[in-house]
Amino acid sequence: MFAGGWRAVAPLATYSETAGSGRARLEPSPERGAGGCGPEDPICRGIFQVEKRSCDVVLTSSRLIWTPIEPESPADDDKVVSRNKTEFVELKEVFGVKMKRRRSARQQTGGTLLGIAIFECIKKGQNKLKSRAIHLSNLSEDYCNVWFKYLKDILNVTEHEGHAFSVLKECDIQEFDGLVCVGGDGTASELAHGLLLRAQIDAGRDIDSNFTPVRAPLPLGIIPAGSTNILAFSVHGIKHPGTAAMHIIMGNFQEVDVCTFSSHNRLLQFGFSAMFGFGGRTLALAEKHRWMPSSQRKEFAVIKTLTNLKPENCELSFLLSENVHVVAQKGERNEDEMNAIEQRNDEDKWQTIQGHFLNISIMAIPCLCSMAPRGLAPHTSLDNGSMSLIAVQNCSRADFIKHLKRYGNLKNQFDFPFVQTYTVQEVKILTETKHRWTDITSDENADSHSYHSSVNSLKENCPWNVDGNLMEGTSEVHIKIHSQLITLYGRNIEECDDVTVKCSCL
């Protein structure tokens, strides 16, 4: 598991641990002054109640430090010496943070804000670990939201987008038995892409050519901790962290198909699913407004993109799938069978359709999620060597919304005259983008400095949504399925339980 990114901190002061308390007490060093904060600049500073005492709280990149404000009343003057203790928690020992609210027994959301709860892992005895909650009490919603955002940003295991991949490039993967990540679709996709790309580099594959990729050398475990968790949901049939962890512990393996996304024979990315058009613009707009809470950001992006719904002029060329497994009984890739299929594909005539499309989806996995319990591509399996191509042609906004809403119930979401579905092995998409997506989704009240770095590069082309990450749009993209290219911890599921879940934003 990657636990990267924590910086070593110079000693701030002398300190000792109170026996049995699991809490370190910080005594300011004379040379550092009364604050005792050392060279690290505070990220945030404010006043909270901690254990019913008003405290001056300071957040740095590695510690949360709080000092009681003394005296709280004139009667407490004689207690200043004994009570004026600065305490801290190392953020590398913190595994979670949440907004603390008081709710009634039947209330699922909302409630009266009480503050922020921070969960720390501490030792109990020689080998036993347990959790401890630190409660920062404050009734201001705006105030707590700011602190919560800073804490969440710091607690991200990787420091920035692409960090996990950079670690994968440097480490000796032969020393490991597997790779485990805790996160959402973006984190899981980044690690899968990095693991596969590292395999191509080690095998000497030229990724700037029409190459046949080699398998990932290590299995990947995904413990879901994101908002949608499509990849983990598709593999485990449920977005339950405990179930995912048990699959890893028990050593359950599931082979999974992977797509390559390339342009002019240059590899762009490995991935499991992609959306172009509505799906790409929605993600790009959500990334632009990352200052919003996750659920609000997604609903806002969906509604805003629906308001400015416009089609893309595309040409789709594809090879229909023969749905043939290319893995021998021992789990090894059958190269003779692969070459035979590729030769037949060369001889087959590509089918082509051209027109204006609101959304195009290419999915190598079922893409299960809470808003689509049957899957975005319910007729696709994890390892059958084919992918679903779902092309939604231009239609009215009302009809498009009907199509989207059917993902959340048991009706056939493809039973519309403007929706075409194919089971394919390869897809080529040529686009003719006459407008900039930034013009379509412009928001005069948006802070231009809040743009995500990857969004800034998307200037002239409509972006792609690949596994919840933005891939820069190009005029030509070639998607090809590669059977059972990666091993994930999990167990294949026949189908998800019939559950009706509706998206609240439609």
Side-chain angles (χ1 to χ4, degrees):
M1 181 187 301
F2 287 106
W6 300 109
R7 295 183 300 181
V9 181
L12 301 183
T14 58
Y15 66 92
S16 61
E17 291 188 2
T18 304
S21 68
R23 179 180 298 176
R25 297 193 177 277
L26 180 67
E27 302 291 347
S29 297
E31 65 271 18
R32 300 209 181 267
C37 291
E40 281 199 345
D41 295 331
I43 295 174
C44 230
R45 186 169 191 168
I47 297 176
F48 288 89
Q49 277 200 336
V50 183
E51 296 182 348
K52 299 182 179 181
R53 298 161 63 188
S54 295
C55 293
D56 178 18
V57 183
V58 177
L59 176 67
T60 72
S61 62
S62 61
R63 288 180 173 181
L64 181 73
I65 308 167
W66 62 97
T67 306
I69 299 174
E70 303 288 359
E72 291 188 343
S73 65
D76 292 335
D77 285 342
D78 58 340
K79 302 179 182 178
V80 170
V81 176
S82 62
R83 294 178 57 190
N84 192 12
K85 299 287 187 180
T86 296
E87 302 178 58
F88 71 90
V89 60
E90 298 281 359
L91 294 183
K92 65 182 179 181
E93 304 296 339
V94 174
F95 61 87
V97 58
K98 72 174 185 178
M99 301 286 274
K100 184 180 177 184
R101 298 181 184 275
R102 180 186 290 116
R103 296 180 178 138
S104 62
R106 297 183 179 181
Q107 191 174 5
Q108 299 296 322
T109 59
T112 303
L113 178 69
L114 300 178
I116 301 173
I118 299 169
F119 300 93
E120 176 193 16
C121 178
I122 63 174
K123 287 185 178 181
K124 185 180 181 180
Q126 184 175 0
N127 297 317
K128 191 174 182 179
L129 299 176
K130 71 173 186 177
S131 63
R132 179 174 72 97
I134 302 168
H135 301 283
L136 306 182
S137 300
N138 192 297
L139 304 182
S140 171
E141 189 88 28
D142 293 340
Y143 192 74
C144 288
N145 275 329
V146 171
W147 277 77
F148 180 76
K149 179 182 181 301
Y150 280 121
L151 283 164
K152 289 288 287 185
D153 288 344
I154 293 174
L155 292 178
N156 283 335
V157 175
T158 50
E159 293 180 338
H160 51 78
E161 183 179 352
H163 183 208
F165 173 58
S166 64
V167 173
L168 269 176
K169 286 199 303 183
E170 299 298 331
C171 71
D172 183 5
I173 60 177
Q174 300 298 328
E175 297 181 357
F176 301 96
D177 297 318
L179 182 66
V180 176
C181 69
V182 181
D185 291 321
T187 302
S189 176
E190 181 182 335
L191 287 175
H193 170 72
L195 193 60
L196 285 164
L197 192 57
R198 172 65 187 270
Q200 312 317 308
I201 295 173
D202 291 346
R205 291 292 197 269
D206 181 7
I207 62 174
D208 289 332
S209 64
N210 187 17
F211 71 104
T212 299
V214 298
R215 283 175 51 87
L218 298 178
L220 173 62
I222 305 167
I223 299 179
S227 54
T228 53
N229 305 295
I230 286 177
L231 184 54
F233 206 140
S234 297
V235 174
H236 305 134
I238 188 174
K239 55 174 185 178
H240 185 246
T243 298
M246 288 304 298
H247 281 303
I248 296 170
I249 294 170
M250 298 301 294
N252 296 328
F253 296 123
Q254 170 62 46
E255 306 297 329
V256 179
D257 300 340
V258 181
C259 301
T260 50
F261 298 84
S262 57
S263 180
H264 304 289
N265 286 331
R266 180 176 65 89
L267 177 67
L268 300 176
Q269 191 168 336
F270 290 98
F272 302 93
S273 64
M275 288 185 284
F276 175 79
F278 175 79
R281 287 198 192 91
T282 300
L283 177 63
L285 187 59
E287 289 295 310
K288 175 182 170 182
H289 293 80
R290 288 193 68 85
W291 53 270
M292 290 184 177
S294 177
S295 59
Q296 296 180 17
R297 179 172 72 242
K298 290 181 179 179
E299 290 190 9
F300 167 80
V302 168
I303 295 172
K304 184 75 173 179
T305 309
L306 283 173
T307 302
N308 298 290
L309 190 64
K310 290 186 179 180
E312 289 290 335
N313 187 10
C314 303
E315 178 183 283
L316 302 181
S317 300
F318 53 88
L319 283 173
L320 293 177
S321 174
E322 298 183 13
N323 207 23
V324 177
H325 285 277
V326 290
V327 176
Q329 292 182 354
K330 294 183 180 180
E332 300 176 353
R333 294 172 69 86
N334 189 326
E335 297 295 339
D336 292 337
E337 192 171 5
M338 283 180 58
N339 293 333
I341 291 175
E342 290 179 357
Q343 184 176 0
R344 287 198 300 270
N345 288 344
D346 291 337
E347 297 171 355
D348 290 341
K349 183 178 179 180
W350 285 71
Q351 298 189 30
T352 301
I353 57 176
Q354 187 168 3
H356 290 80
F357 299 91
L358 293 177
N359 191 69
I360 298 171
S361 300
I362 301 99
M363 298 177 178
I365 60 175
C367 293
L368 304 177
C369 63
S370 59
M371 291 183 293
R374 295 177 61 247
L376 299 176
H379 305 302
T380 300
S381 299
L382 293 170
D383 59 351
N384 65 351
S386 64
M387 53 188 175
S388 287
L389 169 61
I390 304 166
V392 182
Q393 294 178 317
N394 193 19
C395 62
S396 68
R397 184 182 292 107
D399 284 340
F400 186 67
I401 292 175
K402 289 179 182 178
H403 161 66
L404 295 181
K405 295 182 87 169
R406 282 201 181 178
Y407 280 100
N409 57 45
L410 302 180
K411 294 182 179 180
N412 185 359
Q413 63 264 40
F414 309 127
D415 189 19
F416 293 96
F418 52 86
V419 179
Q420 298 172 280
T421 62
Y422 306 90
T423 302
V424 298
Q425 285 183 286
E426 289 187 61
V427 180
K428 294 180 180 179
I429 301 181
L430 299 177
T431 63
E432 180 183 341
T433 305
K434 297 182 179 180
H435 49 259
R436 291 165 45 163
W437 76 267
T438 46
D439 293 333
I440 295 176
T441 59
S442 62
D443 186 347
E444 60 184 4
N445 296 321
D447 181 3
S448 61
H449 298 290
S450 68
Y451 281 28
H452 192 271
S453 59
S454 62
V455 177
N456 283 331
S457 65
L458 305 173
K459 295 298 184 183
E460 299 296 338
N461 299 297
C462 182
W464 282 75
N465 177 343
V466 179
D467 297 332
N469 291 324
L470 284 174
M471 183 180 77
E472 184 171 354
T474 61
S475 60
E476 178 183 341
V477 177
H478 182 191
I479 305 101
K480 187 175 182 180
I481 190 74
H482 301 277
S483 181
Q484 304 183 18
L485 196 62
I486 194 170
T487 301
L488 301 183
Y489 286 97
R491 184 176 294 165
N492 200 358
I493 57 172
E494 293 297 326
E495 61 183 32
C496 185
D497 293 337
D498 289 336
V499 180
T500 299
V501 181
K502 295 185 178 180
C503 178
S504 60
C505 61
L506 296 176

